[in-house]
Amino acid sequence: MAVAAQPLLASALLALLLAAVSAADTKNNPADELVSLINSNRTASKASNLADNQGLGCIALQYIKAYKGQCDQVGGNKKPVDSSFIDTFAPNCGVQAASLAKITGRLLACQPSYPPPAQAFDMLIADERSLQVLHSKNHTEVGAAVTGTSGGGPYFWCVLFSNGKANSSFTVEGGVPKTAHPGCFSGNNDECSGAISTGVGAWTLVSATLFALAGAFTL
Ligand SMILES: *[C@@H]1O[C@H](CO)[C@@H](O)[C@H](O)[C@H]1NC(C)=O
Ligand SMILES: *[C@@H]1O[C@H](CO)[C@@H](O)[C@H](O)[C@H]1NC(C)=O
Ligand SMILES: *[C@@H]1O[C@H](CO)[C@@H](O)[C@H](O)[C@H]1NC(C)=O
């Protein structure tokens, strides 16, 4: 990495980022886009289309928040304890505890710069094991989430799969999950926070070459 060039590049990045954020279309939800990519890849491989469950999507965002922005914890053996789902994630989302269903797969990835959905897909599906999780016949529904950390990187993507019944699992009180900005999750009509922009092509390209640190995690 060219250390001497960093201040200049940093201000160039900032300018690009500001331009990208102001141009962002908040109606585009990158988490929904990732779910579309997942479903097209599944159906192309003769696996079922998965229901996009907003309660599960909200829980995926909570799952990310449990890492407290620590990218280096992704990929190790550190992961939120299972009881977090009922103790923390579900209540924070307004998901009814009795409607929690089994988690049949999880994918998590993180890097300092924002990876748009297609790049996130490649990060999440990086080996044979994650491909098996992606194509598993055990899943019936999916929830995805993306968020940065404190207004910047690192950026985390999380996908949770479940075998619950689409309309009766991860149900939320009042039909709308509690939103916990920043961040976006799939399955609802939530406007994503400005911290995640869908128009960051140029910025992503530049910053992706600056940083090497990345992590991916599958279960
Ligand atoms: C599905 O994703 C995997 C992993 O990225 C890729 O190798 C495969 O070509 C994709 N399948 C289709 C039909 O796009
Ligand atoms: C599907 O579920 C079965 C039973 O729990 C498990 O043994 C298997 O590993 C799962 N398959 C995948 C691809 O996760
Ligand atoms: C879920 O509910 C929607 C709307 O109420 C309905 O259109 C759909 O058929 C239901 N799906 C299942 C799997 O029950």
Side-chain angles (χ1 to χ4, degrees):
M1 191 180 293
V3 175
Q6 274 191 350
L8 188 65
L9 279 168
S11 44
L13 286 180
L14 186 62
L16 279 166
L17 176 61
L18 291 176
V21 166
S22 57
D25 177 358
T26 49
K27 296 229 167 55
N28 278 343
N29 184 325
D32 281 332
E33 285 178 48
L34 181 65
V35 167
S36 296
L37 292 173
I38 286 171
N39 272 328
S40 356
N41 192 288
R42 278 179 63 89
T43 50
S45 308
K46 309 269 183 279
S48 64
N49 193 70
L50 302 175
D52 193 349
N53 185 313
Q54 60 172 357
L56 189 54
C58 183
I59 286 176
L61 184 54
Q62 292 293 317
Y63 195 89
I64 290 173
K65 288 177 194 291
Y67 281 83
K68 299 188 165 70
Q70 294 171 287
C71 205
D72 57 350
Q73 300 291 312
V74 174
N77 286 325
K78 296 231 169 145
K79 58 176 173 124
V81 292
D82 284 347
S83 58
S84 312
F85 282 84
I86 196 156
D87 294 342
T88 318
F89 304 160
N92 285 353
C93 286
V95 166
Q96 286 155 333
S99 73
L100 286 174
K102 188 179 174 194
I103 301 297
T104 48
R106 28 187 141 176
L107 301 169
L108 185 67
C110 166
Q111 73 170 23
S113 59
Y114 172 67
Q119 194 188 329
F121 181 90
D122 289 341
M123 284 173 68
L124 291 162
I125 313 300
D127 57 16
E128 193 53 38
R129 193 156 159 241
S130 48
L131 196 58
Q132 275 172 16
V133 171
L134 175 71
H135 289 161
S136 170
K137 293 192 164 55
N138 293 348
H139 318 317
T140 54
E141 54 185 350
V142 63
V146 56
T147 188
T149 309
S150 313
Y155 292 87
F156 288 73
W157 281 89
C158 176
V159 181
L160 296 179
F161 298 97
S162 171
N163 63 1
K165 285 210 171 71
N167 282 355
S168 56
S169 60
F170 307 100
T171 54
V172 286
E173 285 142 28
V176 182
K178 289 183 195 168
T179 46
H181 289 149
C184 313
F185 57 89
S186 65
N188 68 351
N189 295 317
D190 187 33
E191 286 195 355
C192 290
S193 130
I196 302 289
S197 154
T198 54
V200 291
W203 171 64
T204 303
L205 218 83
V206 175
S207 55
T209 59
L210 269 181
F211 299 104
L213 176 69
F217 165 66
T218 313
L219 183 79

